[in-house]
Amino acid sequence: GGNMKNYVSNLIKFLLVAYSVTMIVLLLVSFLLFRFHVSESFVNGGVVFAYVISCFVGANLFCRAKSSRRFMWGGMVGLIYAITIAIVSFILNRELFTALPRLLPVFGLCVVGGMLGGMMRSGKG
């Protein structure tokens, strides 16, 4: 069925997958930081990588069921992911808004990661 409720439950399911991927990558980055004392730029890069790969995976799974406008749906997954991350960060850390200019490229990367994930569909495209 192509009803809205189905879309929303699928979206939530794949966003949860995306957040799980984020947690795994961030745990890996923290481990590397703890174990090998890697640089701050490595950690920041790892965080951005976590966001992008998460959006890619989430959007890829979400868009498997879609036949049209996959890049748009994928971008939407990335955008919702980025907005949710921003809201959570703001709740945990009130200084987020001073960091917003720095986060805008990350938002863009989340959307692009989502679009790429949406377009990279296994099987017939």
Side-chain angles (χ1 to χ4, degrees):
N3 60 8
M4 205 59 201
K5 201 171 143 195
N6 211 7
Y7 272 138
V8 173
S9 71
N10 270 347
L11 184 61
I12 290 167
K13 192 164 57 187
F14 296 127
L15 280 169
L16 288 173
V17 169
Y19 297 127
S20 307
V21 172
T22 306
M23 294 312 290
I24 293 164
V25 176
L26 292 182
L27 282 170
L28 191 66
V29 169
S30 332
F31 172 76
L32 290 172
L33 178 65
F34 180 72
R35 193 82 189 77
F36 304 109
H37 305 292
V38 291
S39 68
E40 192 186 331
S41 57
F42 176 88
V43 173
N44 292 338
V47 169
V48 172
F49 173 76
Y51 290 169
V52 174
I53 196 74
S54 301
C55 292
F56 182 90
V57 170
N60 189 276
L61 293 171
F62 181 66
C63 292
R64 259 185 203 165
K66 309 263 170 297
S67 53
S68 61
R69 297 194 303 235
R70 287 202 301 265
F71 72 100
M72 184 195 82
W73 285 109
M76 190 184 76
V77 171
L79 185 65
I80 293 169
Y81 173 92
I83 290 168
T84 313
I85 289 281
I87 291 167
V88 170
S89 304
F90 178 67
I91 292 166
L92 297 176
N93 173 13
R94 302 273 171 185
E95 293 99 67
L96 180 77
F97 281 105
T98 58
L100 210 55
R102 261 187 329 156
L103 281 178
L104 286 175
V106 176
F107 267 56
L109 287 170
C110 285
V111 174
V112 170
M115 286 178 170
L116 289 173
M119 287 187 293
M120 301 284 289
R121 205 181 76 158
S122 52
K124 53 191 189 300

